[in-house]
Amino acid sequence: MAVSVDAAPRGIDLGDPAFWRLPEEARAVAFARLRERPGPVGFTDRATGRRCWALVRHADVAAAGRAPEVYLSGPGPSRWVARALFGDSLLDLDGPRHAELRRTVGRAFPPRPAADAERDLRALAAELVDRVERERPTDFVAAVAAEFPHRALCALLGLPPERLHRTAAPTGGDGPRARLALRLAVSAAVRERRRRPTGDLLSALAAPAPDGRGPGTRELAAFCSLLLTHGARTTRDALTHGLHLLTANPAQRALLLADPDAHLGGAVEEIARCAAPFARSHRTVAVDHRLSGIRLAAGDRVLLCHGSANRDGTVFAAPDTFDITRSPNPHLGFGGGGPHFCLGAHLARRHLRILLRELLTRLPEIRATTAPSPAGLRFTF
């Protein structure tokens, strides 16, 4: 069904898969044109013919995040098979079930004092940089950006990374078979921790809730699998784009190297804004309502474009400029707020801060030599 009201400008079709394969720069220009129009942008999903809306402005994406009763995060038509195979993750739940699982995770997170976690992460970062110095690899993603979060999250959960390397491969492992194998491996680990707790995060998650209730093995396994896939990918992509951004902006790089203590926090936030590791998410409209003057009907699908919102000139001065001193920086790189805000955002920030400090202080000449792509990121130093 064609959407004529508030449809995208001619030449921009968000429902065409080819649009999402365009170079990042071309999509950025298109989103800049879309942000010039008030309110949601209508388009038709070519695969289903369904009416859809894209939220591309900061105010609209943030408003949707704060209204979970209107914008449901539960699985759309394409997610039902995956849900049946892999169970419900936080991405597939709304309302009380989502709140209950999030409370369970919140009670268990983190299972160790922050000082211990920081020490272990610094040791892991030092080990990877030692390897880079010794072996001088050329693929930054495989050598550093993917390996660091994968091993850090496995250690947090108390799972041996070598055991999960095939099922949750840092640079892949995203096919149905790999995902099912990961879910089965984590389910077995959850059952084992319920029988014999070991003091790690997985044991804390598997422990009975104070009221005797709580999520079952399948839901906990779904959460842990989500952390090991989406969570690791978030940090991987932010690190990859972060090195590229610091290479492409030598003045900002020099500023950071001159005083990491003063600027590392700002650099992490600006990387999250520009890289938008949580670039977009899907919602389903629960009830008829109006957003920025546009009527959205129950059942409409909505695409929340966090990456576009982070370039909104009504919120960010010089939005296309990478500026590690930007303040305030109310980016939506980890989601638009509300109950579906990225639960691992604080972990991603910590991972970025620790690894960037180790890389830049030990290897100050490190440079990206290509732009980020599905093939990885080449680098030198």
Side-chain angles (χ1 to χ4, degrees):
M1 176 176 62
V3 177
S4 58
V5 178
D6 291 282
R10 183 178 298 276
I12 302 176
D13 184 359
L14 301 182
D16 185 354
F19 172 83
W20 301 100
R21 293 193 294 268
L22 291 173
E24 186 173 341
E25 297 80 3
R27 283 185 280 117
V29 170
F31 277 117
R33 290 178 60 194
L34 295 178
R35 288 194 300 273
E36 294 173 354
R37 305 163 61 88
V41 178
F43 66 97
T44 299
D45 183 345
R46 290 195 178 184
T48 64
R50 294 187 63 176
R51 183 187 193 191
C52 301
W53 301 92
L55 308 189
V56 298
R57 297 167 64 89
H58 190 282
D60 290 340
V61 175
R66 293 191 298 265
E69 71 284 356
V70 175
Y71 297 92
L72 300 179
S73 183
S78 63
R79 287 281 299 150
W80 288 107
V81 173
R83 187 181 184 187
L85 285 174
F86 307 124
D88 292 326
S89 74
L90 281 169
L91 295 180
D92 299 321
L93 298 174
D94 293 291
R97 289 186 66 201
H98 177 271
E100 181 180 350
L101 181 55
R102 197 168 177 111
R103 278 195 301 270
T104 298
V105 175
R107 283 194 300 265
F109 228 91
R112 297 181 298 168
D116 288 348
E118 291 274 331
R119 181 198 62 213
D120 292 348
L121 287 171
R122 287 197 299 270
L124 174 58
E127 176 190 334
L128 292 181
V129 175
D130 286 344
R131 185 188 301 171
V132 167
E133 285 188 305
R134 183 174 62 252
E135 300 178 3
R136 305 185 74 84
T138 58
D139 186 346
F140 180 73
V141 175
V144 180
E147 190 70 13
F148 182 78
H150 172 74
R151 290 181 55 184
L153 291 172
C154 283
L156 179 67
L157 288 167
L159 298 171
E162 62 278 3
R163 177 182 173 189
L164 298 180
H165 214 282
R166 285 187 177 182
T167 55
T171 55
D174 220 13
R177 288 187 178 180
R179 292 173 60 200
L180 183 57
L182 173 63
R183 189 65 53 86
L184 292 174
V186 174
S187 296
V190 170
R191 290 192 294 270
E192 176 64 21
R193 293 302 195 280
R194 284 192 159 140
R195 291 192 298 268
R196 285 186 288 274
T198 58
D200 50 32
L201 175 60
L202 199 57
S203 298
L205 288 169
D211 58 5
R213 302 172 58 190
T217 298
R218 202 160 185 257
E219 284 184 335
L220 289 180
F223 166 74
C224 295
S225 300
L226 182 71
L227 189 64
L228 288 166
T229 52
H230 286 69
R233 190 182 308 126
T234 294
T235 305
R236 179 198 71 189
D237 292 350
L239 286 168
T240 302
H241 283 81
L243 179 59
H244 175 68
L245 286 164
L246 289 168
T247 300
N249 296 273
Q252 295 294 300
R253 177 196 185 89
L255 183 63
L256 176 57
L257 285 171
D259 194 347
D261 289 336
H263 297 300
L264 191 55
V268 167
E269 296 306 314
E270 185 68 348
I271 288 170
R273 183 186 76 86
C274 294
F278 202 73
R280 57 186 182 270
S281 58
H282 296 268
R283 298 288 188 269
T284 300
V285 178
V287 294
D288 293 356
H289 81 116
R290 301 185 74 84
L291 178 66
S292 296
I294 304 299
R295 180 183 176 275
L296 278 64
D300 285 354
R301 293 287 285 165
V302 175
L303 182 66
L304 275 60
C305 300
H306 306 278
S308 174
N310 286 345
R311 303 296 180 103
D312 191 331
T314 66
V315 176
F316 302 98
D320 296 321
T321 299
F322 179 69
D323 179 6
I324 66 173
T325 67
R326 186 182 299 277
S327 180
N329 190 353
H331 67 81
L332 306 179
F334 296 112
H340 284 284
F341 181 77
C342 179
L343 190 61
H346 70 291
L347 280 178
R349 288 182 167 108
R350 182 187 296 172
H351 291 176
L352 284 164
R353 175 171 48 81
I354 289 174
L355 187 55
L356 284 175
R357 181 185 290 275
E358 188 73 17
L359 274 174
L360 295 174
T361 54
R362 297 263 308 275
L363 304 173
E365 298 305 315
I366 189 171
R367 298 285 190 279
T369 57
T370 63
S373 74
L377 177 76
R378 315 309 275 182
F379 75 120
T380 188
F381 55 95

